Short mmCIF file of all heavy atoms in Angstrom, two decimals:
data_model
loop_
_atom_site.label_atom_id
_atom_site.label_comp_id
_atom_site.label_asym_id
_atom_site.label_seq_id
_atom_site.Cartn_x
_atom_site.Cartn_y
_atom_site.Cartn_z
N LEU A 1 7.73 9.82 -2.69
CA LEU A 1 8.54 10.97 -2.26
C LEU A 1 8.26 11.30 -0.80
O LEU A 1 9.19 11.42 0.01
CB LEU A 1 8.26 12.19 -3.14
CG LEU A 1 8.94 13.49 -2.73
CD1 LEU A 1 10.46 13.35 -2.77
CD2 LEU A 1 8.48 14.63 -3.63
N LEU A 2 7.01 11.39 -0.46
CA LEU A 2 6.65 11.76 0.91
C LEU A 2 7.08 10.68 1.90
O LEU A 2 7.63 10.99 2.96
CB LEU A 2 5.14 12.02 1.00
CG LEU A 2 4.60 12.64 2.27
CD1 LEU A 2 5.38 13.90 2.66
CD2 LEU A 2 3.13 12.97 2.09
N GLU A 3 6.87 9.44 1.56
CA GLU A 3 7.28 8.34 2.43
C GLU A 3 8.80 8.36 2.65
O GLU A 3 9.27 8.21 3.79
CB GLU A 3 6.86 7.01 1.79
CG GLU A 3 7.17 5.79 2.63
CD GLU A 3 6.68 4.53 1.95
OE1 GLU A 3 7.31 4.11 0.95
OE2 GLU A 3 5.66 3.98 2.40
N THR A 4 9.55 8.58 1.60
CA THR A 4 11.01 8.64 1.69
C THR A 4 11.46 9.80 2.57
O THR A 4 12.34 9.65 3.42
CB THR A 4 11.63 8.78 0.28
OG1 THR A 4 11.26 7.63 -0.48
CG2 THR A 4 13.14 8.89 0.35
N GLU A 5 10.84 10.96 2.38
CA GLU A 5 11.24 12.15 3.13
C GLU A 5 10.86 12.04 4.61
O GLU A 5 11.61 12.52 5.47
CB GLU A 5 10.64 13.41 2.50
CG GLU A 5 11.15 13.68 1.09
CD GLU A 5 12.67 13.77 1.00
OE1 GLU A 5 13.31 14.34 1.90
OE2 GLU A 5 13.22 13.24 0.02
N ILE A 6 9.74 11.40 4.91
CA ILE A 6 9.39 11.18 6.32
C ILE A 6 10.35 10.18 6.95
O ILE A 6 10.84 10.38 8.06
CB ILE A 6 7.91 10.72 6.45
CG1 ILE A 6 6.97 11.89 6.13
CG2 ILE A 6 7.64 10.19 7.85
CD1 ILE A 6 5.50 11.49 6.03
N ALA A 7 10.66 9.11 6.21
CA ALA A 7 11.59 8.09 6.73
C ALA A 7 12.98 8.67 6.96
O ALA A 7 13.67 8.29 7.92
CB ALA A 7 11.66 6.92 5.76
N SER A 8 13.40 9.60 6.11
CA SER A 8 14.73 10.20 6.26
C SER A 8 14.79 11.23 7.38
O SER A 8 15.87 11.62 7.80
CB SER A 8 15.16 10.86 4.95
OG SER A 8 14.45 12.07 4.75
N GLY A 9 13.62 11.71 7.81
CA GLY A 9 13.58 12.73 8.85
C GLY A 9 13.57 14.15 8.32
O GLY A 9 13.50 15.11 9.09
N ARG A 10 13.66 14.30 6.98
CA ARG A 10 13.60 15.65 6.42
C ARG A 10 12.21 16.25 6.57
O ARG A 10 12.06 17.47 6.63
CB ARG A 10 14.04 15.65 4.96
CG ARG A 10 15.56 15.53 4.80
CD ARG A 10 16.00 15.68 3.36
NE ARG A 10 15.68 14.53 2.54
CZ ARG A 10 16.44 13.44 2.42
NH1 ARG A 10 17.58 13.37 3.08
NH2 ARG A 10 16.08 12.45 1.64
N LEU A 11 11.20 15.40 6.64
CA LEU A 11 9.84 15.83 6.95
C LEU A 11 9.39 15.07 8.20
O LEU A 11 9.68 13.88 8.34
CB LEU A 11 8.86 15.54 5.80
CG LEU A 11 8.98 16.42 4.58
CD1 LEU A 11 8.05 15.93 3.48
CD2 LEU A 11 8.66 17.87 4.91
N SER A 12 8.70 15.75 9.08
CA SER A 12 8.25 15.11 10.31
C SER A 12 7.02 14.24 10.03
O SER A 12 6.30 14.45 9.06
CB SER A 12 7.90 16.18 11.36
OG SER A 12 6.82 16.96 10.89
N ALA A 13 6.80 13.28 10.91
CA ALA A 13 5.65 12.39 10.79
C ALA A 13 4.46 13.00 11.51
O ALA A 13 3.75 12.32 12.26
CB ALA A 13 6.00 11.01 11.34
N GLU A 14 4.21 14.27 11.27
CA GLU A 14 3.08 14.94 11.92
C GLU A 14 1.80 14.63 11.15
O GLU A 14 1.83 14.16 10.01
CB GLU A 14 3.32 16.44 12.01
CG GLU A 14 3.40 17.14 10.66
CD GLU A 14 3.81 18.60 10.80
OE1 GLU A 14 4.91 18.87 11.30
OE2 GLU A 14 2.99 19.45 10.41
N ARG A 15 0.69 14.91 11.80
CA ARG A 15 -0.63 14.58 11.26
C ARG A 15 -0.83 15.10 9.83
O ARG A 15 -1.31 14.37 8.97
CB ARG A 15 -1.71 15.12 12.20
CG ARG A 15 -3.10 14.80 11.72
CD ARG A 15 -4.15 15.43 12.62
NE ARG A 15 -5.21 14.47 12.76
CZ ARG A 15 -5.70 14.04 13.89
NH1 ARG A 15 -5.25 14.49 15.02
NH2 ARG A 15 -6.67 13.15 13.90
N GLU A 16 -0.50 16.36 9.58
CA GLU A 16 -0.71 16.95 8.26
C GLU A 16 0.03 16.17 7.17
O GLU A 16 -0.51 15.90 6.10
CB GLU A 16 -0.25 18.41 8.26
CG GLU A 16 -0.38 19.08 6.90
CD GLU A 16 0.22 20.48 6.88
OE1 GLU A 16 0.57 21.02 7.94
OE2 GLU A 16 0.35 21.02 5.77
N HIS A 17 1.28 15.79 7.46
CA HIS A 17 2.07 15.06 6.47
C HIS A 17 1.54 13.64 6.29
O HIS A 17 1.51 13.12 5.16
CB HIS A 17 3.54 15.03 6.88
CG HIS A 17 4.13 16.39 6.99
ND1 HIS A 17 5.24 16.65 7.77
CD2 HIS A 17 3.79 17.59 6.45
CE1 HIS A 17 5.55 17.93 7.70
NE2 HIS A 17 4.67 18.51 6.90
N LEU A 18 1.13 13.02 7.39
CA LEU A 18 0.58 11.66 7.29
C LEU A 18 -0.75 11.65 6.53
O LEU A 18 -1.02 10.73 5.76
CB LEU A 18 0.41 11.05 8.69
CG LEU A 18 1.71 10.75 9.44
CD1 LEU A 18 1.41 10.29 10.86
CD2 LEU A 18 2.55 9.71 8.69
N GLU A 19 -1.57 12.68 6.73
CA GLU A 19 -2.83 12.76 5.98
C GLU A 19 -2.57 12.95 4.48
O GLU A 19 -3.28 12.37 3.65
CB GLU A 19 -3.71 13.87 6.53
CG GLU A 19 -4.34 13.49 7.85
CD GLU A 19 -5.19 14.58 8.48
OE1 GLU A 19 -5.15 15.73 8.00
OE2 GLU A 19 -5.88 14.26 9.45
N LEU A 20 -1.56 13.72 4.16
CA LEU A 20 -1.18 13.89 2.76
C LEU A 20 -0.68 12.56 2.18
O LEU A 20 -1.04 12.19 1.05
CB LEU A 20 -0.11 14.98 2.64
CG LEU A 20 0.28 15.45 1.25
CD1 LEU A 20 -0.93 16.01 0.50
CD2 LEU A 20 1.36 16.52 1.36
N LEU A 21 0.10 11.84 2.96
CA LEU A 21 0.60 10.53 2.53
C LEU A 21 -0.57 9.55 2.35
O LEU A 21 -0.61 8.79 1.38
CB LEU A 21 1.61 9.99 3.54
CG LEU A 21 2.27 8.66 3.21
CD1 LEU A 21 3.00 8.72 1.87
CD2 LEU A 21 3.24 8.27 4.33
N LEU A 22 -1.51 9.58 3.26
CA LEU A 22 -2.70 8.74 3.15
C LEU A 22 -3.46 9.05 1.86
O LEU A 22 -3.88 8.15 1.13
CB LEU A 22 -3.60 8.91 4.37
CG LEU A 22 -4.94 8.20 4.33
CD1 LEU A 22 -4.77 6.69 4.18
CD2 LEU A 22 -5.73 8.53 5.59
N SER A 23 -3.62 10.33 1.56
CA SER A 23 -4.30 10.73 0.32
C SER A 23 -3.56 10.20 -0.90
O SER A 23 -4.19 9.72 -1.85
CB SER A 23 -4.40 12.25 0.24
OG SER A 23 -5.22 12.75 1.25
N ALA A 24 -2.25 10.30 -0.88
CA ALA A 24 -1.46 9.84 -2.03
C ALA A 24 -1.61 8.33 -2.21
O ALA A 24 -1.88 7.85 -3.32
CB ALA A 24 0.01 10.21 -1.83
N TRP A 25 -1.44 7.57 -1.14
CA TRP A 25 -1.53 6.11 -1.27
C TRP A 25 -2.95 5.67 -1.63
O TRP A 25 -3.12 4.72 -2.40
CB TRP A 25 -1.06 5.42 0.00
CG TRP A 25 0.42 5.46 0.25
CD1 TRP A 25 1.03 5.60 1.46
CD2 TRP A 25 1.49 5.32 -0.70
NE1 TRP A 25 2.40 5.58 1.30
CE2 TRP A 25 2.70 5.40 -0.01
CE3 TRP A 25 1.52 5.14 -2.09
CZ2 TRP A 25 3.94 5.31 -0.65
CZ3 TRP A 25 2.76 5.06 -2.73
CH2 TRP A 25 3.94 5.14 -2.00
N THR A 26 -3.94 6.35 -1.11
CA THR A 26 -5.32 5.99 -1.45
C THR A 26 -5.59 6.29 -2.93
O THR A 26 -6.16 5.45 -3.64
CB THR A 26 -6.31 6.74 -0.55
OG1 THR A 26 -6.03 6.42 0.82
CG2 THR A 26 -7.74 6.33 -0.85
N ALA A 27 -5.16 7.45 -3.39
CA ALA A 27 -5.36 7.81 -4.80
C ALA A 27 -4.60 6.86 -5.72
O ALA A 27 -5.06 6.56 -6.82
CB ALA A 27 -4.93 9.25 -5.04
N ALA A 28 -3.46 6.39 -5.27
CA ALA A 28 -2.65 5.45 -6.06
C ALA A 28 -3.16 4.02 -5.95
O ALA A 28 -2.62 3.12 -6.58
CB ALA A 28 -1.19 5.52 -5.62
N ARG A 29 -4.20 3.82 -5.13
CA ARG A 29 -4.78 2.50 -4.86
C ARG A 29 -3.75 1.55 -4.24
O ARG A 29 -3.79 0.35 -4.45
CB ARG A 29 -5.44 1.92 -6.11
CG ARG A 29 -6.55 2.83 -6.63
CD ARG A 29 -7.45 2.25 -7.66
NE ARG A 29 -8.18 1.06 -7.30
CZ ARG A 29 -9.29 1.01 -6.54
NH1 ARG A 29 -9.78 2.12 -6.04
NH2 ARG A 29 -9.89 -0.12 -6.30
N GLU A 30 -2.85 2.12 -3.47
CA GLU A 30 -1.86 1.36 -2.70
C GLU A 30 -2.45 1.16 -1.31
O GLU A 30 -2.03 1.78 -0.33
CB GLU A 30 -0.54 2.12 -2.64
CG GLU A 30 0.19 2.20 -3.96
CD GLU A 30 0.86 0.88 -4.34
OE1 GLU A 30 1.24 0.11 -3.43
OE2 GLU A 30 0.99 0.63 -5.55
N PHE A 31 -3.47 0.30 -1.23
CA PHE A 31 -4.27 0.19 -0.01
C PHE A 31 -3.48 -0.34 1.18
O PHE A 31 -3.69 0.09 2.30
CB PHE A 31 -5.52 -0.63 -0.26
CG PHE A 31 -6.45 -0.01 -1.26
CD1 PHE A 31 -7.05 -0.77 -2.24
CD2 PHE A 31 -6.72 1.35 -1.24
CE1 PHE A 31 -7.90 -0.19 -3.17
CE2 PHE A 31 -7.57 1.94 -2.16
CZ PHE A 31 -8.16 1.16 -3.13
N SER A 32 -2.57 -1.27 0.95
CA SER A 32 -1.77 -1.78 2.07
C SER A 32 -0.93 -0.67 2.69
O SER A 32 -0.83 -0.57 3.92
CB SER A 32 -0.87 -2.93 1.61
OG SER A 32 -1.66 -4.02 1.20
N ARG A 33 -0.34 0.14 1.85
CA ARG A 33 0.45 1.27 2.35
C ARG A 33 -0.45 2.29 3.05
O ARG A 33 -0.08 2.85 4.08
CB ARG A 33 1.22 1.94 1.22
CG ARG A 33 2.39 1.11 0.75
CD ARG A 33 3.06 1.76 -0.42
NE ARG A 33 4.44 1.29 -0.52
CZ ARG A 33 5.21 1.53 -1.54
NH1 ARG A 33 4.77 2.26 -2.56
NH2 ARG A 33 6.44 1.07 -1.57
N ALA A 34 -1.62 2.55 2.47
CA ALA A 34 -2.56 3.50 3.07
C ALA A 34 -3.00 3.01 4.44
O ALA A 34 -3.10 3.81 5.39
CB ALA A 34 -3.78 3.70 2.15
N ILE A 35 -3.23 1.72 4.57
CA ILE A 35 -3.66 1.16 5.86
C ILE A 35 -2.57 1.35 6.92
O ILE A 35 -2.86 1.67 8.07
CB ILE A 35 -4.06 -0.32 5.69
CG1 ILE A 35 -5.40 -0.38 4.94
CG2 ILE A 35 -4.16 -1.02 7.04
CD1 ILE A 35 -5.77 -1.76 4.43
N GLY A 36 -1.31 1.20 6.53
CA GLY A 36 -0.21 1.45 7.47
C GLY A 36 -0.20 2.88 7.97
O GLY A 36 0.02 3.14 9.15
#
């Protein structure tokens, strides 16, 4: 959800949102996405 909303521009790619996205991908064990 967060990745889609950032890509669409509805949410900005600011630090707070990226850190939340990092937390989500890390918790989901989606390490390649988290590394990006």
